[in-house]
Amino acid sequence: MEPGPPQSLSERRPQLSVERLVDELEPPWRFDAVRFDTYIPDPNHPSQPEAVAVLAAFAAGIGGGPAGGSGLRSWFSRKPAAPTGPRGVYLDGGYGVGKTHLLASLWHAAPVPSHQKAFGTFVELTNLVGALGFQETVRVLGRYKLLCIDEFELDDPGDTVLVSSLLSKLVDAGVSLAATSNTLPGKLGEGRFAAADFLREIQGLSAHFRPLRIDGEDYRHRGLPEAPPPYADEVVTKTARTSFGASLDHFPHLLGHLSQVHPSRYGALIEGVRLVCLTGVEPVPDQSTALRLVVLADRLYDAEIPVIASGVPFDRLFGEDMLRGGYRKKYYRAISRLTALARDAGNFDGGA
């Protein structure tokens, strides 16, 4: 059986129901099997095993269970009385130190049913508010006992106020919180536009979390070869046409299409695709386009979809001004993840 013509992501216009947005508040399937005991700490960085121990105690206390001997019980009490200390943990560290692995492990370890715990990225959380409205989102998430937020980012004052207010309501409802980011809670917004305008909101938000610093090197590059160089256009096109489940897009056309699809739908955009093939990769022209590409890179990485491309290497996608600017952490994360997916493409089996 021969593969059919490759699909084009640029021709897809997925629609998502509110029910699907809520149902998808679980760890990406690439993290289905992760647990605390599958996390491999870097022996050169003691903060990594220390974080596992703290998170294991955190998980044990969610839903009213024992919090162990760590003195953390008051964080997670479901009693009506307002908590006196933080109700959550905040995993801070660089790219590829395993923060999402640990966050997903916490979700799996929490001793409550799946329908009582939620897991989503910061972008998915803000998209949920956009779809449901603030009060309905508070009502829906307030029924959970644990909310895990991955890739916590504050890109503008509006999102800062929105998320700060949402988390405050959820804390009042007794929801335990856990989040990952590359910036400590008290430092959110530094290096971003108009940071001084929402510093007060950031400081209030940080009070909900106990920060856990996780040091280390990007595991995606730890002892691994450098990302493969780009392929020729002809190789990318031939691979797309001879592989089952491949998509084929000219990179500038795909970037233009992303501007017409809400980022909450990027996961649906790549649904059913086994290999993404891109021709003519070039540096992104502006910041809005770059931020949309970051979301797409996150969804591709979550779904473990390899990427084969021609044009410039992925480490040249974002210009020097972008890599020095307020969103540099997002851009470095995208480079790291796309590099890993490009490496995965070398082992792709194009058969059915």
Side-chain angles (χ1 to χ4, degrees), residues 95 153 155 182-183 189-192 287 291 294 318-335:
Y95 307 98
E153 303 281 358
D155 297 329
N182 303 298
T183 310
E190 287 193 1
R192 305 289 178 93
Q287 194 127 251
L291 291 172
V294 167
F318 308 107
E320 287 300 318
D321 288 345
M322 292 184 184
L323 294 179
R324 289 195 301 265
Y327 301 111
R328 59 189 178 276
K329 294 179 182 296
K330 286 189 172 185
Y331 300 146
Y332 279 114
R333 184 181 75 230
I335 291 171

Side-chain angles (χ1 to χ4, degrees), residues 6-238:
Q7 309 168 62
S8 172
L9 299 181
S10 301
E11 295 176 359
R12 291 185 166 190
R13 296 185 179 275
Q15 301 296 321
L16 280 181
S17 66
V18 170
E19 291 76 15
R20 178 169 173 178
L21 286 174
V22 175
D23 290 343
E24 290 182 346
L25 290 176
E26 294 186 353
W29 69 272
R30 74 153 45 225
F31 296 103
D32 281 351
V34 303
R35 299 294 187 271
F36 288 132
D37 59 5
T38 65
Y39 180 75
I40 304 175
D42 187 334
N44 296 316
H45 297 281
S47 61
Q48 294 188 10
E50 290 171 4
V52 173
V54 172
L55 290 173
F58 184 105
I62 292 171
S70 62
L72 302 176
R73 180 185 298 274
S74 63
W75 289 13
F76 320 115
S77 173
R78 301 291 293 185
K79 296 179 181 179
T84 58
R87 289 195 61 88
V89 290
Y90 195 105
L91 308 184
D92 172 72
Y95 307 98
V97 297
K99 299 187 302 296
T100 302
H101 182 133
L102 291 173
L103 189 68
S105 298
L106 168 64
W107 187 92
H108 288 298
V112 294
S114 295
H115 67 272
Q116 293 184 347
K117 48 190 176 182
F119 184 108
T121 64
F122 180 83
V123 170
E124 289 170 331
L125 187 63
T126 55
N127 288 339
L128 186 65
V129 176
L132 297 182
F134 183 83
Q135 294 300 333
E136 182 64 10
T137 302
V138 171
R139 188 188 71 81
V140 169
L141 296 183
R143 298 177 300 186
Y144 291 86
K145 294 187 176 180
L146 171 67
L147 172 62
C148 297
I149 309 169
D150 199 19
E151 299 158 11
F152 203 107
E153 303 281 358
L154 296 178
D155 297 329
D156 59 59
D159 280 350
T160 303
V161 174
L162 175 71
V163 175
S164 178
S165 300
L166 175 63
L167 295 186
S168 295
K169 294 286 187 182
L170 295 179
V171 167
D172 291 343
V175 180
S176 294
L177 306 173
T180 73
S181 184
N182 303 298
T183 310
L184 287 168
K187 301 295 185 180
L188 286 171
E190 287 193 1
R192 305 289 178 93
F193 302 116
D197 294 340
F198 55 95
L199 180 60
R200 179 178 59 82
E201 288 292 337
I202 292 169
Q203 291 173 335
L205 191 61
S206 67
H208 294 319
F209 297 93
R210 171 185 171 176
L212 292 176
R213 178 70 188 179
I214 305 177
D215 299 302
E217 300 175 359
D218 189 336
Y219 79 91
R220 288 178 287 264
H221 305 301
R222 196 190 303 165
L224 294 173
E226 293 296 319
Y231 294 87
D233 282 349
E234 296 77 10
V235 173
V236 174
T237 301
K238 181 179 179 180

